[in-house]
Amino acid sequence: QLSIPLGSAYQPLLRAQNQVLKKAVVDEQANSASFKEQLKLRDQSLRKQEQEMDSLSFRNQQLAKRVELLQEELAVSDAKGKKGKSKADSPSQHGLETQSVFDEDLQKKIEENERLHIQFYDADEQHRKQEAELTTRLQELEKDLEQHQAVVDGLTTKYMETIERLQSDKARLEVKAQTLEREAKECRMRTEECQQQVRRCQSELNRQVKQSSTVIQEKVPFNDTNGTNTLCVFFLFFQLKARDVAGQALSFIQDLVAALLNFHSYTEQRVHIYPLDSSIEPISPLNQKFSQYLHENAAYVRPLEDGFLQLHQSITEDTVTVLETVVKLKSFADNFSSYTHFLQKILPYQLKSLEEECNASPCTAALIAKNQELQSDMKKVTSVFEKLQSYIKLLALPSRLTLKIHTISVFTQLAACLHSLHDAIKEMSKHYNQKASFEQELPTITQKLCTTTECLLGSLGSLTSSTGKISTFFSNNLDFFTSSGYSPRGSTVALNPLQAESMLANKKKAAAYIHAIKQSVPYREALSNRRILTSSTESREGLTQQVQQSQDKIARLEQEKEHWLLEAQLGKVRLEKENQRIADLESQLAAALGGSPNPRPAAASTLSESHEEAEREQNAAGKETTLCTSLVGDEESREQLIKTHYMARVGELTTQLQISDSKAVHFHSECRALAKRLAIAEKSRETLSEEVRLANQNVTRLQDELTTTKRSYEDQLSMMSDHLCSMNETLSKQREEIDTLKLGSKGSAKKNKSR
């Protein structure tokens, strides 16, 4: 009996024994078929020998009768010889000659009969011996077949139990899904109620704000002496830059979230496959708990994307974006903290899972070394995520007394942590690649494990690429993050939310005033076109790489799909052939055990001819069997070669098709980008043409105004000149009158003195 060891450490050995057992079953079935064929040939030869024996016995009886007749004739001749001794010499001499001939013939027949008896005895002994050997071999094969059938029945029972367990798990999960759907409906109802309450609160707050604003506008004069109500300088370029940077960061965060989801999901699949396959026997409780935690990764990873999306949506042109006013950063920091706690929770299970892989029997020393390196890499990645959590929490703390130098230091340390995260994940990806190459050399490796490992390596590559992009993006925009886009006039204190609200109110008033004066160039449309052009130009290369990677992955999956379809068809054909062969063998075995047909006596004259014809037929049948076997082998090899050739050709054509599709998608994206740029250029040309037309109209109007102003100035100058001339004449007359009066006054004074 085959003893099947239990326990997780013997699982690879069990799989190896299962493969050996399957091979032994196939070999024994082939041997059984060959022995049955030999048994059939032996039965045929036995029947022929029995026919020969019957013919020889019949011939022996004829010879015995003839010997008796000859003996009787000899006795008669002896009696006649005694009576007629007196006869002539010639008849007696003739009788003696006849007697000698009969004696010689009788001696030859006796010798031939003895020889035939000896041959028959030897053939009978050889047949009995071969029959005993074949019977013993058949009994052994039947015992082996019973053992193999018992093993197959045990495995079938085990698989049926596994299927029943999976069906029960499916039913339980369906019940759980229904429960979760009901809870989701209740949560949606509560969310709607909360949204209604929020709307009521917002309407009430808006009413209070309007009332307070009316009171302030009517009763409170503007005061520019207090630091809390200081007007701030508003830079629209800084706000647009913040919006653009947040959009780019959102795309990188989405790539990071997708890579993390794939990494955790493929890690969960690997836990179910290696070192124990959950489809064959249950995995260890530690891996079950680890798999349960990994199954909940979406609840911690998805909120990162949602939180940053809310942060991006909160940054608009009508807001003031600084650390003190971005309240959505706090929710993103909380989500990041939750994911960091999730990594801390699964870290011990990751380390224990790698230790369990090291304790498995086929694990080599190189694999143990790589598992230890991966343990240190996972610890390093978790510690870097903890540092990132600390710095993001510091940035999310609302404070009116935040010093600029502290903010710069936090951003600098955050950039360094992002670079450290990229290096750690890159190192972990390299070690995983080396570990996968070592696992390929193991004899117990399965195709399912190879596929899962390839997917896991692909997710690690995506994770490395996304972290590298994030670290590079953050380093390139570090100056923007540390710059002061908004600053109170004449103050070194950071901008607080009250100042931001006051600044936005003043901005809206200024915008309303400018809009009331005159409608200017459509600035918002120009900014929108600029953002579209910038985003399409910057993301074209990234989209091209993503399309190329997707096309490569699709091509690889198509090839794997064709391969597995072909394998399934071949397995089905093999199964049908094996079932047919087993049915034939059972029928032949039943016919062999049922008994041999009765021999038919043949005539003595046709015995040798039938024997020769049987030998010729046997030789012809052997030659025909050999020829058919060779032809079948040639047909199978030729079919295999044709199949291999066409599969290689299909793979090449699929690769060429995927390359052509990727090039077409690349050219299509470039054409779309060029079309957008052309449309933007056309709109810009139309806008510039309109601006040139308006400028020409303004120039013409200004020239007319200049001419009118010049004429009015000339008229005014002429009038002023006339007025000055008249004033000069009046002044000269007055001076003459004054001189005259002075002379008159002097003359009267002299007369008075003389008197």
Side-chain angles (χ1 to χ4, degrees), residues 469 535-547 666:
K469 290 178 181 178
S535 62
S536 63
T537 304
E538 290 178 353
S539 62
R540 182 180 64 185
E541 183 178 357
L543 290 174
T544 304
Q545 293 179 357
Q546 291 179 3
V547 169
H666 174 66

Side-chain angles (χ1 to χ4, degrees), residues 599-726:
R600 291 179 301 174
S605 60
T606 60
L607 179 62
S608 60
E609 295 178 359
S610 63
H611 181 64
E612 292 177 357
E613 289 178 359
E615 289 182 352
R616 286 198 297 272
E617 289 177 359
Q618 184 177 0
N619 295 330
K623 292 180 180 179
E624 185 178 359
T625 304
T626 307
L627 181 58
C628 292
T629 306
S630 63
L631 289 176
V632 170
D634 293 339
E635 285 292 327
E636 290 180 354
S637 62
R638 181 172 174 270
E639 182 182 0
Q640 186 66 28
L641 290 174
I642 292 172
K643 188 185 296 181
T644 305
H645 171 71
Y646 279 107
M647 285 300 293
R649 184 60 180 165
V650 167
E652 292 175 0
L653 292 176
T654 304
T655 305
Q656 292 177 3
L657 179 61
Q658 296 298 331
I659 292 172
S660 301
D661 290 340
S662 63
K663 289 182 179 179
V665 171
H666 174 66
F667 292 149
H668 179 65
S669 62
E670 285 187 352
C671 291
R672 288 182 60 186
L674 291 174
K676 288 182 180 179
R677 292 178 65 181
L678 180 60
I680 293 169
E682 288 291 333
K683 290 181 180 179
S684 177
R685 185 178 63 81
E686 293 176 0
T687 305
L688 292 175
S689 299
E690 185 67 19
E691 290 178 358
V692 169
R693 187 180 63 79
L694 294 175
N696 291 329
Q697 292 179 0
N698 290 330
V699 168
T700 305
R701 182 175 56 79
L702 291 174
Q703 287 178 354
D704 295 336
E705 290 178 358
L706 180 61
T707 304
T708 304
T709 306
K710 188 184 292 184
R711 289 177 182 176
S712 63
Y713 283 165
E714 288 177 354
D715 294 336
Q716 290 178 4
L717 285 174
S718 62
M719 291 175 64
M720 290 296 292
S721 299
D722 295 337
H723 182 66
L724 285 174
C725 289
S726 62

Side-chain angles (χ1 to χ4, degrees), residues 379-390:
K379 291 178 182 178
K380 187 175 181 181
V381 169
T382 306
S383 65
V384 173
F385 267 104
E386 291 175 0
K387 289 182 181 179
L388 287 174
Q389 171 198 357
S390 302

Side-chain angles (χ1 to χ4, degrees), residues 506-634:
N506 293 329
K507 173 181 175 291
K508 291 179 181 178
K509 289 181 181 179
Y513 175 73
I514 293 174
H515 183 72
I517 293 175
K518 184 180 179 181
Q519 183 66 32
S520 179
V521 180
Y523 185 66
R524 293 180 181 274
E525 184 177 357
L527 288 177
S528 177
N529 293 334
R530 176 182 175 276
R531 284 196 300 272
I532 292 172
L533 178 61
T534 304
S535 62
S536 63
T537 304
E538 290 178 353
S539 62
R540 182 180 64 185
E541 183 178 357
L543 290 174
T544 304
Q545 293 179 357
Q546 291 179 3
V547 169
Q548 184 67 30
Q549 293 176 358
S550 300
Q551 293 295 337
D552 295 339
K553 188 174 181 181
I554 289 170
R556 188 172 66 253
L557 292 176
E558 287 292 336
Q559 291 179 358
E560 291 180 358
K561 177 183 175 183
E562 294 295 333
H563 172 70
W564 287 116
L565 286 176
L566 182 60
E567 288 292 335
Q569 293 177 359
L570 292 176
K572 187 176 180 181
V573 171
R574 292 194 191 99
L575 180 61
E576 292 177 355
K577 288 182 179 179
E578 287 295 328
N579 291 332
Q580 184 65 29
R581 192 165 63 83
I582 289 172
D584 295 339
L585 290 176
E586 289 178 352
S587 62
Q588 292 175 5
L589 182 61
L593 295 176
S596 59
N598 294 323
R600 291 179 301 174
S605 60
T606 60
L607 179 62
S608 60
E609 295 178 359
S610 63
H611 181 64
E612 292 177 357
E613 289 178 359
E615 289 182 352
R616 286 198 297 272
E617 289 177 359
Q618 184 177 0
N619 295 330
K623 292 180 180 179
E624 185 178 359
T625 304
T626 307
L627 181 58
C628 292
T629 306
S630 63
L631 289 176
V632 170
D634 293 339

Side-chain angles (χ1 to χ4, degrees), residues 2 60 69-70 86 92 135 139 207-208 214 230 246 297 300 317 323 328-329 370 453 465 507 551 568 590 605 670 698:
L2 179 64
N60 193 10
L69 291 174
L70 290 173
S86 63
S92 64
T135 304
Q139 291 176 357
R207 186 184 62 78
Q208 293 179 4
T214 304
T230 306
N297 68 89
Y300 298 97
E317 298 177 4
L323 289 176
K328 296 295 183 181
L329 184 60
K370 290 303 170 186
T453 305
S465 176
K507 173 181 175 291
Q551 293 295 337
S605 60
E670 285 187 352
N698 290 330

Side-chain angles (χ1 to χ4, degrees), residues 28-38 141 581 585 588:
E28 291 298 331
Q29 288 177 353
N31 293 331
S32 177
S34 63
F35 284 134
K36 287 180 179 179
E37 187 67 25
Q38 292 178 4
L141 291 175
R581 192 165 63 83
L585 290 176
Q588 292 175 5

Side-chain angles (χ1 to χ4, degrees), residues 87-141:
K87 291 183 179 180
D89 295 335
S90 58
S92 64
Q93 187 178 0
H94 179 71
L96 292 174
E97 292 177 355
T98 305
Q99 182 67 31
S100 64
V101 170
F102 284 155
D103 291 338
E104 290 177 359
D105 192 7
L106 180 61
Q107 186 66 29
K108 289 180 181 179
K109 295 300 180 180
I110 291 171
E111 292 177 355
E112 185 179 0
N113 192 10
E114 290 179 356
R115 182 174 54 81
L116 291 175
H117 274 289
I118 292 170
Q119 290 180 357
F120 175 74
Y121 180 77
D122 293 338
D124 191 11
E125 289 295 329
Q126 187 177 3
H127 170 68
R128 290 176 182 176
K129 186 182 295 183
Q130 290 179 356
E131 185 178 3
E133 291 178 356
L134 291 175
T135 304
T136 306
R137 184 61 179 169
L138 183 61
Q139 291 176 357
E140 292 177 356
L141 291 175

